[in-house]
Structure formats: C-alpha cells, structure tokens
Amino acid sequence: MDEQRQAAVPGAIAAVLGWPVAHSLSPKLHGFWLREQNLDGSYLGLPVAPDAFEAGVRGLVATGFRGVNVTVPHKLAALQIADAVDAAAQAIGAVNTLVFGDDGRILGRNTDAYGFLNNLTDAGVDVAAGPAMIIGAGGAARAAVHALLSAGCPRLYLTNRTPEKAVGLREGMADDRIHVLPFNTLNSLPDDIVLLGNTTSLGMAGKGTLDVTLTGLPSDAWVHDIVYVPLETPLLRAARRLGLRTVDGLGMLLHQAVPAFEAFFGRQVTVSDALRNHVLGRE
Ligand code: ATR
C-alpha cells in the first residue's frame, strides 16, 4: 500500500449543501474522482433550507460525514458555524468548505480563491506579470481579489456598478494595490492590464450582458469570465473575435473542488480534460 492509499478513508461520505442544490455540479465532479481513484466513498447533493443549516451540519458531523461543501445561500452561515477558519476564508469573509475533524471540530475553508487562481495559471496566465482589472464587488470578487493579490498581482483595478461596494472591498482587504475605478471605465479600459476578469453574474444565461469595450486592451491581454453557463459568454466571444486570449469559468469550479476532495477522501486529484468533459456531459 502506498502512502496515499493509507490516507484514504474507506466509505467516507461528503456532500454539497445548498438551497436549492439540484443544479450543483459538485456531485458529478466528486463522483468522477471517486471512480477514477477507485474509492468506495460517496458524495451527495443535499437540499438544506437556510433555517435548517446549523442543525443539518451538526447532524452530519454526528453521523460521521467527513465534511461538506456549501453553496448559495450558506457561505456566511458556514463561516459562523466553523470552530476555526483558514486564512483565505478569513480574508474573503465566506466559507465554501467545512471539514469535520475526528474530534467533531469544524474547520471552515475557502477554496474559491485557490480555484480562481489555479484556473488562470493552468491556462497559462502569469498574474504577477502586470495589472489586472476585476469587475464586481460581491463574494466572487472578494475571492478573485484575494487570489490575485496573494499571487503577486502588482496592481489591481476594481470596478463595480455600485462604487461604494468596491470601496468597501478595498477597505476590507486593506491593500494599497487595489484602485477603485468608475464603472464607465469599462468603455475605456486601462491599456496596461494583463488580465480582465468578470465576477458579476452578467453574461449568464437569462441575465443581462456586460457592456465593455475591449478594443483598448493590449493584444496579449487575457479575458476571464467567472460565468460558465454558457461556457462562452458574450464577453469571452467578443474577446476571442478580437484575437485576445480567454479563460472560461468552468475551470474555477473544477479547481476549487480539488482541496475539498483531498480533505474529505484523502487522495490527491487533478483537473483533467476527462473531468471537464464528464462535467459537461460530453462523453
Ligand atoms: P456573488 O457572491 O456571486 O459575487 P453578489 O454578492 O450578489 O454575488 O454580487 C453580484 C455582483 O454582480 C455585484 O458586483 C453586482 O453589482 P452591485 O454591487 O452594483 O449590485 C453585480 N451585478 C449584478 N447585476 C448587475 C447588473 N445588472 N449590472 C452591473 N452589475 C451587476
């Protein structure tokens, strides 16, 4: 038996908690890794209403679950229920993964920033090479900003429809590399950025589209969209048509699950084309 096999927990059970949860791709992607690793663990999607969250989590701890991922609307409640949180969760102010210790203690982690960063670096983006611009100031933006600053981004332009929220994000992060710009900057983008990233829900199927003029970007800039339904958003399509390099949002979902799988099931896993195709239903 190798070391990884010894670390794997036979019959381990984990889940994603959401309200609703049926749309979550997490059971599909963790299920892929369980089969790939030939493990007998399980990963479930559990619908848990907001007022049942705390009792639900305590019940899962008592029944021996290894931990849970949490999605909308539980990320703040997850922060509150945790006995301890990691540095990323602390900085972002939200928890997306609860890991249950053998002693019943609950560790809160945030792997969204890890997922955001690894999706970009996997695609070939060097986030330390120059300034980035992030659109949005919600929870996803906080994860993106934390990821970029932690990875050495030298200057970060932030813009949001409601400027006060961008200012609040800058003050919360207390990092003078963040510069808040007016929302109409989207029509005259800074010409020195290596990465433009959308963290709003604009561009998602059924939502409005983002009004951005990409022509001012350097020809070697990257454009990233956190939205992955559709996989190619109007923003990414416009960027591709201009010859700019693009990174879609599905990779963030896949990468944020890697540390959670390792914590729940004790095996190291990777994001492969086979995983991506499985999650997209393309096999
Ligand atoms: P999440 O946690 O997924 O980031 P959120 O906290 O609700 O979700 O944040 C949503 C982001 O999308 C915000 O930056 C929001 O801008 P406001 O702060 O001005 O609300 C942005 N957003 C949503 N709809 C938008 C729209 N129609 N135009 C511009 N920005 C929009």
Side-chain angles (χ1 to χ4, degrees):
M1 252 190 204
D2 62 27
E3 261 178 57
Q4 281 198 0
R5 247 174 207 291
Q6 284 170 5
V9 183
I13 309 180
V16 56
L17 310 187
W19 186 255
V21 81
H23 67 283
S24 173
L25 292 172
S26 292
K28 204 166 183 183
L29 71 99
H30 283 271
F32 175 92
W33 282 324
L34 285 168
R35 283 190 298 280
E36 181 191 68
Q37 297 289 320
N38 204 19
L39 291 173
D40 67 350
S42 312
Y43 188 99
L44 314 173
L46 297 179
V48 176
D51 61 2
F53 182 75
E54 176 162 4
V57 168
R58 302 231 180 265
L60 296 178
V61 173
T63 50
F65 274 57
R66 304 296 302 171
V68 291
N69 290 116
V70 303
T71 184
V72 180
H74 298 313
K75 289 188 177 185
L76 288 180
L79 179 71
Q80 283 153 7
I81 204 175
D83 297 307
V85 296
D86 69 5
Q90 187 86 51
I92 296 164
V95 156
N96 76 334
T97 305
L98 293 171
V99 182
F100 306 155
D102 292 332
D103 55 0
R105 276 172 61 82
I106 301 174
L107 171 65
R109 297 178 57 174
N110 190 308
T111 66
D112 286 333
Y114 172 97
F116 181 86
L117 185 65
N118 281 268
N119 184 31
L120 292 175
T121 51
D122 225 31
V125 183
D126 177 3
V127 302
M133 180 155 177
I134 290 295
I135 308 166
R142 284 202 302 277
V145 168
H146 176 71
L148 291 171
L149 295 177
S150 306
C153 170
R155 174 180 276 256
L156 199 153
Y157 302 113
L158 187 64
T159 192
N160 192 50
R161 174 181 61 178
T162 311
E164 299 77 32
K165 278 176 68 181
V167 170
L169 192 159
R170 184 189 61 198
E171 283 168 4
M173 296 267 171
D175 191 310
D176 59 15
R177 286 174 291 172
I178 304 175
H179 301 262
V180 175
L181 298 179
F183 204 50
N184 62 12
T185 307
L186 293 180
N187 293 315
S188 55
L189 294 171
D191 60 6
D192 60 347
I193 58 183
V194 301
L195 170 72
L196 174 70
N198 173 46
T199 70
T200 75
S201 48
L202 292 177
M204 193 183 288
K207 305 257 175 171
T209 48
L210 199 58
D211 185 17
V212 192
T213 307
L214 297 172
T215 43
L217 286 178
S219 58
D220 59 352
W222 291 87
V223 178
H224 169 55
D225 204 326
I226 209 164
V227 171
Y228 59 85
V229 180
L231 210 47
E232 187 176 67
T233 60
L235 174 68
L236 295 184
R237 191 178 326 121
R240 178 172 56 80
R241 286 181 176 161
L242 283 171
L244 299 167
R245 295 176 290 182
T246 62
V247 187
D248 68 50
L250 181 63
M252 177 176 172
L253 175 80
L254 305 181
H255 281 281
Q256 62 79 33
V258 168
F261 188 91
E262 291 173 7
F264 300 151
F265 300 110
R267 286 282 180 87
Q268 285 184 3
V269 285
T270 55
V271 172
S272 61
D273 286 344
L275 173 68
R276 198 176 152 86
N277 288 333
H278 175 72
V279 168
L280 289 171
R282 285 184 180 162
E283 314 117 303

